[in-house]
Amino acid sequence: MTSYYPPISYIVPPSEDGWLLKSILQKRMDVSRKLLSRLKMTDLGITLNGERVYISVKVSSGDQVQIRMEEETSEDILPQPIPFEILYEDGHLLVVSKAAGMIVHPTHGHYTETLANGVVHYWAEKGERVRFRPVHRLDQETSGVLVIAKNPYSHQHISEQMIAGTVDKRYTAFVHGVPALPSGDIDGPIDRDPLEPHRRIVTPDGYPSLTRYEVKEVYGSAASRVELKLESGRTHQIRVHMGSVGCPLIGDGMYRHPLYGQAAGSRSEASAPGEERRAGEPAVTADGEEQQVQELAVTADGAPLPPGDAARLAQIAELDAAIPRQALHAVRLAFRHPVTHAELVFEAPLPPDMALLQEKLRQSAR
């Protein structure tokens, strides 16, 4: 016997008396063509006053239209008792605060220990049959607010809001240096780096990408805290855009400060400050930090860096060693509920590692 999620209902108002049921479903309940095709294939997918009907019938004022989606599970995801922080949950949505170092969904080489494994286990313990449907993603080392849809209808509606640009996604980042202007837009097309396909670069032939930023706190000339709002959702967008204006994220091992490229020490793939590293792995040990800073003060041909560059690079390396990942946190997410249409706002405070970095920056700027 087919099991369904609770129905989503719509009462036909007098102004829509005589409309085709298909029009109600598409224009008032915003059911996509893809979902409509799925609903038509199930016994109770579409009902009018409790009866299964063709979508070509006309409706009357006061009629109750309901859609029901079949229950689903993520059978390819292994349930694991992995803790995660829940900000909100109802029958349609799960909103969490993702920890840094946690991958959202199983990928090649990472089939376990992901957020998906933990969520699937959590739902199974509650006796819920739900498929894991993240509406968006966060990089493994980015922490913060993430929304997961619990059915196809919710996924469709929030995804459409994101495409339309009506979802308010805000991030907090700590960056090297201070942007030239206290606020502004970074409008730079992004695409894969042809030399290193896992990286992204700003390129004229890339996909349109827009990031709005505002400087919230300045720590001398060494660093600053910025709030960012995404108007598009490209892979690594914030990391690439901030690097393109000379303010790469502190702790980012993939998009490092360009001064590293001038130093001999950056040729080593072992453990140069800021090098890409595994979740939770320190950038540099206390014993090795001084030695590696000395190595970074020499150019690839053995000549010393100019004194100003050497001092700045030492400062950059020290900050990169202060946090084991890029200092980026999804602090706020606001969107309309897919069923009630209420405005939902979720916020997650800075995680401990970024709070410690903030305190270090404040102390160094005194």
Side-chain angles (χ1 to χ4, degrees), residues 59-108:
V59 301
S60 301
S61 174
D63 280 352
Q64 182 184 58
V65 179
Q66 291 186 318
I67 61 171
R68 293 175 177 82
M69 291 160 283
E70 294 179 281
E71 290 184 347
E72 301 174 275
T73 58
S74 295
E75 296 180 357
D76 57 336
I77 298 176
L78 176 68
Q80 291 180 291
I82 300 171
F84 59 92
E85 181 181 357
I86 297 175
L87 300 179
Y88 173 86
E89 185 177 19
D90 62 16
H92 308 280
L93 305 171
L94 173 65
V95 183
V96 306
S97 181
K98 187 187 85 69
M102 179 178 284
I103 296 175
V104 173
H105 198 282
T107 59
H108 179 68

Side-chain angles (χ1 to χ4, degrees), residues 5 32 35 38 69-70 72 133 149-157:
Y5 296 119
S32 68
L35 179 56
R38 291 180 59 181
M69 291 160 283
E70 294 179 281
E72 301 174 275
R133 284 186 175 87
K150 298 177 73 171
N151 57 60
Y153 184 83
S154 296
H155 189 277
Q156 169 207 322
H157 274 253

Side-chain angles (χ1 to χ4, degrees), residues 162-163 169 185-192 200-212 229-238 240-241:
M162 289 188 170
I163 293 171
K169 295 185 287 184
D185 296 346
I186 305 174
D187 189 355
I190 292 176
D191 205 348
R192 291 182 183 273
R200 301 299 190 273
I201 58 173
V202 172
T203 172
D205 298 327
Y207 297 94
S209 308
L210 177 61
T211 302
R212 305 187 191 278
K229 181 180 180 182
L230 291 182
E231 299 296 348
S232 53
R234 308 301 175 198
T235 299
H236 301 172
Q237 178 172 322
I238 289 174
V240 172
H241 270 174

Side-chain angles (χ1 to χ4, degrees), residues 217 219 225 357-366:
E217 195 170 4
Y219 314 103
R225 175 171 63 89
L357 176 62
Q358 179 174 248
E359 184 58 30
K360 176 182 177 68
L361 291 168
R362 286 173 174 172
Q363 290 179 358
S364 65
R366 288 173 184 168

